[in-house]
Amino acid sequence: MTSTHEPPFPPPEPPRGPGSGSTGGGGDGHGHGHSHSHSHGPAAPVSQHLRKVIAAILIPFATAVVVGLVVLWPGGAPPHERTGVGFDRQTQQATVTEVESVSCSSVNASGVPPTGDTSTAEGSTAQRQADEETCKKATIRVDTGKDEGRTFTEIVQPDQSRQLHEGQEVVVAYEPSAPKDLQYAVTDVNRRVPMAVLSGIFALVVVLVGRMRGVLALVALAISFLVLTLFILPAILQGSNPLIVAVVGSSAIMLISLYMCHGLSARTSVAVLGTLMSLLLIGILGSVFIDWAALTGNTDDNTGLIHGLYPEIDMSGLLLAGIIIGSLGVLDDVTVTQTSAVWELHAASPAMGRRELYGAAIRIGRDHIASVVNTLVLAYAGAALPLLLLFTIAESSVGTVANSELVAEEIVRTLVGSIGLVASVPLTTALAALVVSADRPQQPATAGGPPAPSRGGRGRRRKR
């Protein structure tokens, strides 16, 4: 039975008239038993014809995604000589074994006061303050790598934002070409334990609330992460077109996550189609406006480092790929919600026609869009908050800020993603309403009675 793959909402049982059911106590009991079993299980399947139409669209698409994965599969990131800049440094794990308080004047390279002249009152005061300040001399032990067990010292100034304490786990950078006593330096705090605990709490909450759906969602999340790290990122570094890689990778993530979390059904297939159409719109808009606004995608130290290491990478294409991938997660949420809304409305009121279904579901979508678009804008604004503060300090006008490439890039990213998100609501809702209203699944005939009437396109029983 294909009904095991369909949404859990059966079509309503037609009214029983004097001749509509089987006669006799045994026949009537059989009819009730059949209805009861379906009311607690999956819904009656969509028609065979409709399944063929959906399969004719999705099977070639899924095949193309698989072929794209095979053809573009990178086999790992290409090697390169480390520059020692930013994230492109050799790092090891280390532990602070001892912290000693020392006078800053005794350990700093220069004891010259800020004024440069101790004969003045201001210079004398500055020198006295420097002598009174207390710095920290930390001894750090390297715990990994070929120098495991080696120790080095580092001076922590009192005004540094990151202070070290005994027993703290840290990350140290290693520069083999530097003098031996300067080869290691603390670059960050080791946050593996709190990050692991937070991830565990997240997984626990998802499983407790979502149960089996939550488990499947976590599995889908892990697969999405693997596609990102094993395919999308290495393929871009190997020189493949970032846009094509993003489309193939995002499509693979979409198919795996949606079908794994929501089941192999017509309802999920409609959500997949709605997501696909919206991603296509985002790709077209993003390509047009990135080119029109002359955005290079090379706006900070990290992108500059990437371009320096791999000059063959199209940085504007990388920007577009990021827009597509970033929009996918929110799109999945909206399309699944809208498709489920249409199916729920149809199950609650089978007599609703296509227009009524669309009108009711689009009202749900408008509420969803109002909150999600605001979420997107605030998320981008929060991420760029330090940058916006710098522009505020410089007393730059709104036009000047928006015209800078760094901010214009985020504006294009936000608005293009939001347009695709808004457009996904009517697109997916119309497609779902069309599917459920056009569906005419045949009802099995009951023993000893005429076949049960099937529904027409607008939910009315067809006259025989």
Side-chain angles (χ1 to χ4, degrees), residues 12-24:
E13 186 175 334
R16 292 183 178 272
S20 63
S22 55
T23 58

Side-chain angles (χ1 to χ4, degrees), residues 2 9 24 34 92 96 101-102 125 162 258 262 275 293 301 316 329 340 344 400 417 421 439 446 459:
T2 55
F9 293 104
H34 180 79
Q92 301 294 343
V96 180
S101 296
V102 294
T125 302
R162 182 176 58 242
L258 286 181
H262 304 286
T275 305
D301 293 340
S316 60
S340 297
E344 294 274 3
T400 302
L421 184 66
D439 185 34
T446 54

Side-chain angles (χ1 to χ4, degrees), residues 80-81 83 85 88 237 298 300-313 315:
H80 71 278
E81 293 292 333
T83 64
V85 178
D88 193 41
L237 291 178
N298 189 0
D300 57 24
D301 293 340
N302 293 325
T303 53
L305 179 60
I306 293 172
H307 185 64
L309 292 174
Y310 301 96
E312 68 278 4
I313 293 179
M315 299 304 293

Side-chain angles (χ1 to χ4, degrees), residues 196-281:
V197 171
L198 183 59
S199 300
I201 295 173
F202 165 74
L204 180 62
V205 171
V206 170
V207 172
L208 288 177
V209 177
R211 298 189 181 181
M212 193 59 195
R213 285 290 180 91
V215 173
L216 293 175
L218 291 176
V219 174
L221 177 62
I223 294 175
S224 300
F225 183 76
L226 290 176
V227 172
L228 181 65
T229 55
L230 298 181
F231 171 71
I232 295 178
L233 300 180
I236 291 175
L237 291 178
Q238 291 282 11
S240 299
N241 187 296
L243 177 58
I244 297 176
V245 171
V247 169
V248 173
S250 298
S251 299
I253 291 172
M254 174 183 65
L255 290 171
I256 293 171
S257 61
L258 286 181
Y259 282 117
M260 178 173 289
C261 294
H262 304 286
L264 187 63
S265 66
R267 176 163 59 180
T268 307
S269 299
V270 170
V272 168
L273 290 174
T275 305
L276 180 60
M277 291 187 294
S278 303
L279 284 177
L280 180 62
L281 176 61

Side-chain angles (χ1 to χ4, degrees), residues 387-396 401:
L387 176 65
L388 296 178
L389 284 175
L390 287 177
F391 281 111
T392 303
I393 293 170
E395 297 182 354
S396 301
V401 171

